[in-house]
């Protein structure tokens, strides 16, 4: 009798544990997709995101623990994250942007920006803006890159051997000057206007970087952000008004943004054209700055590859594809754009898991770019792009998808980086200083968490 009671107790306790551990959680969770439980009923996993150092770092943690498909919560909002290019390709049809996507940019870009426009309006506007990425326009932008890089090259050549260079500082300033010319044309030729714009832009990027890392801004920081964002919007609006008054064609994106405003569904009082001009500027400036920094970082670390790149740019190598492979490998290994987000407008399913309409689906590029599909994924190896390789999304305007025909924008990014490499590296050899950190900071783009320093010396004739 006693043995029977013991057996019954063991079976009953086992059953209770099964109910508690398996049945009860599935009844209270709002998804069957694996992932961490919310740490708070009101904040979801926001505290976890902040403790990880930002959403990109958090995604790397949860994907490492739960696999290529995970769920988590931002506040009360369920979010799904895809950690492989195969999963991303399966759900490339998710064309809408969720409300919380890049929410920290709204003070600058406003709610009428193309970043959050519906599918039809995005298509209408982008069809116009694409014309600013034509071969004719890109030729003008390449010349602007050569001129800006030439001024930086002169500065580098004037340095003594004891002076060292911060890659972030130089590439940030260089990208800002190049992309300002691409977006604003001759309206930003005045150096005083450029300096004033750059100062306000630096305030905005500093504050939104803090927010992107999951940190709440103090009231004073929020005030600085709003003031700087308003100043930048005033500058962009003034440029558009001036461009219209001049009624003169110019090779820059402001030409096509001004045309878009005339056909806007929102009417004459809309500021969508200002929002879009700033969106095109900010995304391209940040991706170009990050991409240049990481490309120069890896080339400064790998002298043999740097010498081979210079030889190709000088026409001394038959391997004409090396520079392109270096650019793509630097983009992959650094995850220049760490993540994007889309959603379906109606209920959908991911790997058999049902999702409510407009559930944010994150493409965790910072996970996919170093996933198991890449051989020796943590190593800089441009040769991996010589043959058949996994797909790589190289998109400097990540609020758009490949279905938006981003070929012109992608080509421009690669051409601008190539021009800068040619001008900077032909006369100068860059070498990474010892003990430089490779730790990344993932916000709108991925940057080195700490300043990266290089030495500069004249390139020898036989290099």
């Amino acid at each position: 009798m006693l043995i029977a009671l013991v057996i019954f107790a063991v079976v009953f306790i086992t059953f209770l544990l099964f109910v508690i551990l398996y049945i009860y959680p599935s009844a209270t969770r709002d998804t069957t997709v694996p992932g961490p439980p919310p740490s708070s009923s009101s904040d979801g996993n926001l505290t976890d995101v902040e403790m990880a150092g930002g959403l990109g770092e958090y995604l790397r943690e949860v994907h490492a623990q739960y696999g290529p498909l995970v769920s988590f919560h931002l506040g009360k909002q369920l979010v799904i994250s895809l950690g492989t290019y195969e999963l991303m390709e399966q759900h490339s049809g998710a064309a809408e942007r969720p409300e919380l996507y890049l929410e920290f940019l709204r003070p600058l870009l406003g709610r009428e920006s193309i970043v959050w426009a519906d599918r039809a309006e995005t298509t209408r506007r982008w069809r116009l803006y694409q014309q600013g990425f034509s071969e004719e326009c890109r030729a003008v932008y390449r010349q602007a890159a050569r001129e800006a890089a030439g001024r930086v090259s002169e500065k580098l050549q004037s340095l003594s051997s004891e002076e060292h260079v911060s890659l972030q500082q130089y590439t940030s300033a260089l990208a800002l000057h190049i992309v300002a010319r691409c977006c604003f044309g001759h309206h930003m030729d005045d150096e005083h206007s450029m300096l004033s714009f750059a100062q306000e832009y630096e305030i905005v990027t500093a504050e939104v970087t803090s927010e992107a890392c999951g940190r709440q801004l103090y009231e004073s920081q929020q005030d600085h952000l709003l003031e700087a964002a308003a100043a930048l919007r005033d500058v962009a609006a003034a440029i558009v008004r001036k461009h219209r008054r001049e009624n003169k064609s110019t090779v820059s994106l402001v030409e096509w943004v001004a045309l878009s405003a005339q056909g806007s569904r929102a009417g004459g009082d809309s500021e969508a054209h200002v929002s879009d001009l700033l969106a095109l500027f900010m995304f391209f400036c940040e991706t170009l700055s990050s991409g240049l920094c990481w490309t120069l970082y890896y080339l400064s670390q790998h002298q043999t590859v740097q010498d081979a790149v210079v030889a190709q740019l000088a026409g001394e190598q038959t391997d004409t594809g090396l520079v392109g492979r270096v650019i793509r490998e630097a983009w992959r290994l650094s995850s220049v754009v760490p993540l994007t987000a889309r959603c379906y407008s109606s209920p959908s399913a991911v790997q058999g898991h049902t999702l409510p309409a407009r559930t944010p689906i994150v493409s965790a590029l910072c996970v996919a770019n170093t996933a198991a599909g890449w051989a020796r994924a943590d190593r800089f190896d441009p040769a991996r792009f010589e043959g058949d390789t996994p797909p790589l999304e190289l998109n400097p305007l990540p609020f758009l998808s490949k279905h938006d025909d981003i070929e012109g924008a992608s080509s421009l990014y690669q051409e601008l980086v190539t021009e800068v490499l040619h001008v900077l590296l032909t006369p100068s050899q860059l070498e990474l200083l010892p003990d430089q950190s490779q730790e990344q900071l993932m916000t709108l783009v991925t940057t080195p968490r700490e300043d990266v320093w290089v030495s500069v010396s004249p390139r020898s004739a036989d290099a």
Side-chain angles (χ1 to χ4, degrees), residues 65-96:
Q65 182 175 356
Y66 293 97
L69 176 66
V70 300
S71 66
F72 60 99
H73 290 77
L74 296 178
K76 295 183 180 296
Q77 175 64 64
L78 168 67
V79 180
I80 304 301
S81 180
L82 313 177
T84 66
Y85 275 104
E86 291 77 14
L87 283 173
M88 295 176 200
E89 182 63 30
Q90 291 173 25
H91 297 281
S92 60
E96 302 293 332

Side-chain angles (χ1 to χ4, degrees), residues 249-261:
S249 179
T250 181
V251 180
S252 64
L253 289 169
V254 69
E255 173 87 5
W256 309 107
V257 170
L259 285 174
S260 175

Side-chain angles (χ1 to χ4, degrees), residues 105-169:
L105 294 181
R106 287 193 191 272
L108 174 64
L109 303 185
R111 294 192 172 273
E112 295 180 300
S113 169
I114 189 175
V115 174
W116 300 284
D118 63 35
R119 186 73 198 135
E121 182 65 6
T122 297
T123 300
R124 186 193 72 78
R125 295 188 207 175
W126 180 240
R127 189 176 292 124
L128 265 176
Y129 302 162
Q130 274 183 290
Q131 298 178 67
F133 293 92
S134 67
E135 172 55 39
E136 177 190 1
C137 292
R138 299 204 310 271
V140 174
Y141 305 154
R142 291 195 297 270
Q143 178 60 32
R146 285 192 291 272
E147 292 173 359
R151 293 190 290 271
V152 173
S153 180
E154 290 177 4
K155 173 65 176 176
L156 295 180
Q157 293 177 68
S158 70
L159 298 177
S160 67
S161 58
E162 290 79 23
E163 294 179 279
H164 300 144
V165 171
S166 165
L167 282 182
Q168 289 100 313
Q169 293 178 22

Side-chain angles (χ1 to χ4, degrees), residues 312-324:
Q312 184 203 308
L313 293 172
E316 299 170 359
Q317 258 198 3
T318 56
D319 182 3
T320 57
L322 175 62
V323 174

Side-chain angles (χ1 to χ4, degrees), residues 286-348:
E286 292 303 302
T287 50
L288 181 61
S289 173
S290 170
L292 279 173
C293 184
W294 286 112
T295 303
L296 290 171
Y297 172 92
Y298 292 120
L299 289 177
S300 300
Q301 191 179 42
H302 298 84
Q303 293 298 309
T304 302
V305 180
Q306 183 181 154
D307 293 342
V309 163
V310 172
Q312 184 203 308
L313 293 172
E316 299 170 359
Q317 258 198 3
T318 56
D319 182 3
T320 57
L322 175 62
V323 174
R325 293 196 298 273
V326 166
I327 292 172
R328 297 181 75 81
E329 176 66 347
W331 180 288
R332 179 200 70 83
L333 188 53
S334 62
S335 290
V336 169
V337 175
L339 58 94
T340 62
R342 300 285 188 275
C343 65
Y344 290 100
S345 57
S346 57
S348 58

